[in-house]
Amino acid sequence: MFAVLQTGYPAAMSARAISLVRHEGDACVVALTGEHDLSSVDELIAVLEQATSSPGMVVDLSGTSFIDSAVLGALIASHRGAAASGRRWALVVGKGSGAAVRRILELTGLDAVMPVYAGLGDALAASLPSESGLPT
């Protein structure tokens, strides 16, 4: 039903990772764990690019403890690209997300601009086309 592409460091070496789970014909989930900053932004951008082939994308930050402005810039560019091409895009900032992640989204006001969900299920549902094919 789906393929998994794991990038980043193995869990034994580092708690930081970026993974892409491709749900065939549906949405891609890009999940970040650990702390992400300028040192991992190129890898994030590459994974976000891979996910653009799906009609919907969910970026899951529920396992992320920190992001900096470089990562935020990559997320903004991904969201804008999706909006410009008519693809659905959602962000998950759940209970497992670090306070720093939630705070940076609040301080920048991006939590009011980007579609942010507390759980992956809600974000996936919102990132997929409706049964009628019309935007919701």
Side-chain angles (χ1 to χ4, degrees):
M1 178 170 201
F2 59 87
V4 177
L5 171 66
Q6 179 74 32
T7 63
Y9 300 104
M13 293 177 61
S14 171
R16 177 173 77 181
I18 301 170
S19 61
L20 171 65
V21 178
R22 187 176 305 275
H23 296 262
E24 292 180 17
D26 296 335
C28 280
V29 178
V30 177
L32 284 73
T33 56
E35 296 185 358
H36 291 273
D37 54 23
L38 183 60
S39 66
S40 63
V41 76
D42 289 338
E43 182 180 356
L44 173 60
I45 291 169
V47 173
L48 291 170
E49 264 306 303
Q50 291 176 12
T52 62
S53 62
S54 291
M57 181 188 316
V58 174
V59 180
D60 186 355
L61 300 179
S62 59
T64 308
S65 55
F66 174 81
I67 59 172
D68 73 353
S69 60
V71 173
L72 205 55
L75 295 176
I76 292 167
S78 176
H79 178 250
R80 285 183 180 162
S85 64
R87 287 179 293 107
R88 294 173 184 265
W89 193 97
L91 187 65
V92 177
V93 182
K95 293 180 181 180
S97 301
V101 173
R102 289 189 299 274
R103 186 74 176 135
I104 195 168
L105 292 170
E106 292 168 359
L107 286 172
T108 58
L110 290 173
D111 60 335
V113 176
M114 295 178 171
V116 178
Y117 297 88
L120 183 58
D122 291 338
L124 278 170
S127 69
L128 297 175
S130 65
E131 298 266 335
S132 67
L134 300 173
T136 55

